[in-house]
Amino acid sequence: MSGLLNLETLRAAFEAGEIDTVLVAAPDMQGRLMGKRFHAAHFLDSGWKETHCCNYLLATDMEMITVPGYKSTSWEAGYGDYTMVPDLSTLRRVPWLPGTALVLCDLQDHHTHADVPISPRAILKRQVARARALGYAPMAATELEFFVFDNSYEDLRDRGVNDLRAISGYNEDYHIFQTTKEEPLMRALRNGLYGAGVPVENSKGEAEAGQEEINIRYSDMLETADFHVITKQATKEIAHALGKSVTFMAKYDHARAGSSSHVHQSLWTADGKAAFLEEGAEYGMSPLMRQFMAGQLAHAREITAFLAPYVNSYKRFCVGMFAPTKAVWSLDNRTAGFRVCGEGTKALRVECRIGGADLNPYLACAALLAAGLAGIEQGMELEPEMRGDMYGAADAREIPKTLREAADLLEGSAMLRAALGDDVVDHYTRAARWEVEEHDRVVTDWERMRGLERA
Ligand code: ADP
């Protein structure tokens, strides 16, 4: 696809005066891009081989705090370096920034040059390799919903983050007229992504005032996670350039719908056949697909911390707002945590609807894949389909209600410990617990408003 570069085409673009800057970045625990801006000449000279970053980048929170309690690094360990190794297959143009290219990096141990096991990209690579060793290519698409505001981020910093003005005044689900008004942002986003070699399918208005969705064509799971972080970056940067702001928070307002990142998944054989499809079977679902889904359902509660990583994420799981509350499966049913789509066709897939737009796509895909592969390896049997309105299904498997509960389930997951390793599970359990500790400590606007006069 156009937009992708290699060292020769980057050199040619540099010599033609088209590109002068290369963003060298690795996804962090939150799925954000962290790194440095290289002059293209220096990148072409030596930067393409490796650079370095402080290893606290995989041990901080949203605020870049040096969080205590991690084994990977600490003040005692002196917060040394990781090596950032550009994955040149991700080198691409960034059409929405002048003269700029981007490359994503893997993080390696500064001394041994082994992949850092807790690095989100390494975690996903390992699960993809597991699937490939079984003979399957894991394919996925991560839909992204987000809210657009007329305020700039700077304006919100000055006036307070509650002074939000959503870009539209009404639920704009599939609305062409309202989304026409949002085209300065969305057209630039679609075309910018296309020009960066990200195969954008479409964007649409979503089911809340000011809410948009963007869809990227499904691809190999690692590439899909790369597309996801690039898409978020593009959305923020293009919005910023237009004096707007966007949020990927799972629930920015309890009175409004939340933002999801549904993960569509399928396995393909090495020779490119849809391994989930079997003619004549119920909905066309092959035994392989049934086992994969059985694994995801059995372990759904343990992996939720990777689909909903913040305290706020759990406020999205409420009745009647299209976010699921039950980890059960159903055919084309938007009230279920797992929805089977593309019945009887090559597009047959399972859509996990649990994840919020705040998920880290590497971790979410890795956890989902690990659960699905466990189902295949153990030949698990798929439970019966549930039908109707799942919100009211009293005895159906509940999605954890809080991050506190999800962190306990993550910590106790033998499946995740076997698949990802103890260090990874302990690290991300600590990350979840830190979010809970901070939330327990901080006094919020809501408490002040209720208590100041009346308590
Ligand atoms: P819906 O509107 O029902 O959510 P879409 O047609 O918009 O479905 O597709 C959602 C996503 O599913 C798209 O990003 C698409 O690329 C992806 N998708 C389609 N087929 C597959 C498949 N076989 N495996 C994984 N993802 C797929």
Side-chain angles (χ1 to χ4, degrees):
M1 213 182 153
S2 67
L4 288 176
L5 295 165
N6 55 38
L7 287 179
E8 288 91 282
T9 50
L10 175 65
R11 186 176 298 282
F14 169 57
E15 284 167 0
E18 291 168 21
I19 289 179
D20 52 63
T21 300
V22 183
L23 309 180
V24 178
D28 72 358
M29 292 166 71
Q30 290 74 23
R32 302 175 293 185
L33 291 184
M34 293 287 170
K36 307 177 185 176
R37 303 182 119 85
F38 273 64
H39 194 283
H42 185 55
F43 181 81
L44 285 162
D45 177 52
S46 62
W48 64 272
K49 288 185 208 145
E50 65 172 51
T51 183
H52 300 93
C53 65
C54 176
N55 65 18
Y56 95 135
L57 285 185
L58 293 184
T60 55
D61 68 356
M62 205 64 98
E63 298 275 20
M64 309 303 288
I65 283 173
T66 51
V67 174
Y70 284 120
K71 195 171 131 197
S72 65
T73 191
S74 60
W75 288 118
E76 292 74 41
Y79 284 113
D81 262 358
Y82 285 143
T83 307
M84 299 176 74
V85 184
D87 176 345
L88 292 176
S89 72
T90 67
L91 185 62
R92 57 190 0 107
R93 289 176 190 273
V94 179
W96 60 92
L97 296 179
T100 300
L102 163 74
V103 70
L104 297 178
C105 295
D106 290 307
L107 295 172
Q108 294 185 349
D109 184 287
H110 188 38
H111 306 286
T112 66
H113 288 277
D115 274 350
V116 176
I118 57 166
S119 145
R121 212 163 181 264
I123 292 170
L124 179 54
K125 274 178 152 180
R126 208 171 136 194
Q127 296 313 304
V128 170
R130 254 184 89 200
R132 288 191 184 278
L134 289 176
Y136 301 110
M139 307 297 269
T142 54
E143 298 177 33
L144 255 180
E145 295 172 357
F146 54 92
F147 280 86
V148 187
F149 304 107
D150 277 325
N151 321 67
S152 69
Y153 288 117
E154 289 69 24
D155 175 44
L156 291 173
R157 196 159 59 223
D158 292 344
R159 296 155 63 120
V161 287
N162 292 328
D163 203 14
L164 291 163
R165 188 176 193 282
I167 196 168
S168 74
Y170 49 83
N171 177 330
E172 58 182 276
D173 205 13
Y174 298 96
H175 279 226
I176 296 297
F177 176 54
Q178 175 53 39
T179 53
T180 295
K181 296 193 251 170
E182 296 162 22
E183 275 295 83
L185 169 64
M186 298 309 296
R187 176 165 176 255
L189 178 58
R190 291 190 307 274
N191 290 339
L193 289 171
Y194 184 82
V198 176
V200 60
E201 287 186 338
N202 53 51
S203 64
K204 65 179 271 295
E206 257 303 323
E208 185 54 90
Q211 195 177 27
E212 279 272 4
E213 173 183 283
I214 185 140
N215 288 301
I216 312 297
R217 187 183 153 75
Y218 71 98
S219 184
D220 167 87
M221 250 191 195
L222 181 68
E223 193 171 48
T224 282
D226 290 344
F227 290 159
H228 182 114
V229 293
I230 294 168
T231 301
K232 275 181 75 172
Q233 187 76 15
T235 313
K236 286 185 176 175
E237 289 176 347
I238 296 169
H240 169 75
L242 294 168
K244 311 271 184 224
S245 55
V246 295
T247 187
F248 294 93
M249 278 181 78
K251 193 86 171 171
Y252 92 88
D253 184 335
H254 55 269
R256 296 180 181 275
S259 291
S260 315
S261 180
H262 302 150
V263 185
H264 294 253
Q265 312 155 75
S266 58
L267 294 180
W268 292 65
T269 58
D271 56 349
K273 295 213 172 66
F276 275 3
L277 183 63
E278 183 173 287
E279 267 180 47
E282 187 195 23
Y283 307 146
M285 288 165 62
S286 67
L288 186 86
M289 180 177 189
R290 298 181 71 89
Q291 291 169 357
F292 187 83
M293 286 175 56
Q296 295 202 332
L297 288 158
H299 298 294
R301 287 168 51 77
E302 297 154 46
I303 65 172
T304 299
F306 287 127
L307 297 164
Y310 304 108
V311 170
N312 175 261
S313 313
Y314 293 79
K315 298 183 180 177
R316 186 180 137 254
F317 301 130
C318 56
V319 172
M321 279 191 164
F322 287 106
T325 56
K326 301 285 175 8
V328 293
W329 79 276
S330 192
L331 179 74
D332 195 16
N333 184 326
R334 287 190 165 84
T335 68
F338 293 84
R339 168 180 171 234
V340 171
C341 309
E343 170 188 10
T345 71
K346 257 177 54 193
L348 180 64
R349 59 195 186 270
V350 57
E351 175 194 37
C352 173
R353 298 175 58 80
I354 299 174
D358 55 351
L359 57 69
N360 177 328
Y362 300 93
L363 301 175
C365 285
L368 282 165
L369 187 54
L373 294 179
I376 292 171
E377 284 171 349
Q378 291 160 38
M380 284 187 190
E381 196 169 324
L382 183 61
E383 63 200 38
E385 177 189 6
M386 294 203 60
R387 298 210 175 101
D389 179 356
M390 245 64 80
Y391 288 126
D395 49 355
R397 186 185 300 102
E398 295 273 359
I399 294 169
K401 293 208 176 336
T402 63
L403 182 58
R404 205 181 295 270
E405 187 185 356
D408 290 347
L409 289 159
L410 167 62
E411 186 178 39
S413 173
M415 182 280 292
L416 285 175
R417 287 187 177 277
L420 311 183
D422 286 333
D423 283 349
V424 171
V425 172
D426 291 342
H427 191 82
Y428 288 94
T429 301
R430 176 68 195 128
R433 294 241 165 88
W434 172 255
E435 291 295 320
V436 173
E437 283 166 25
E438 282 296 88
H439 180 261
D440 286 348
R441 183 181 67 82
V442 169
V443 177
T444 64
D445 287 2
W446 178 81
E447 291 162 275
R448 210 173 282 140
M449 193 180 64
R450 281 166 79 104
L452 196 75
E453 178 178 340
R454 290 167 284 171

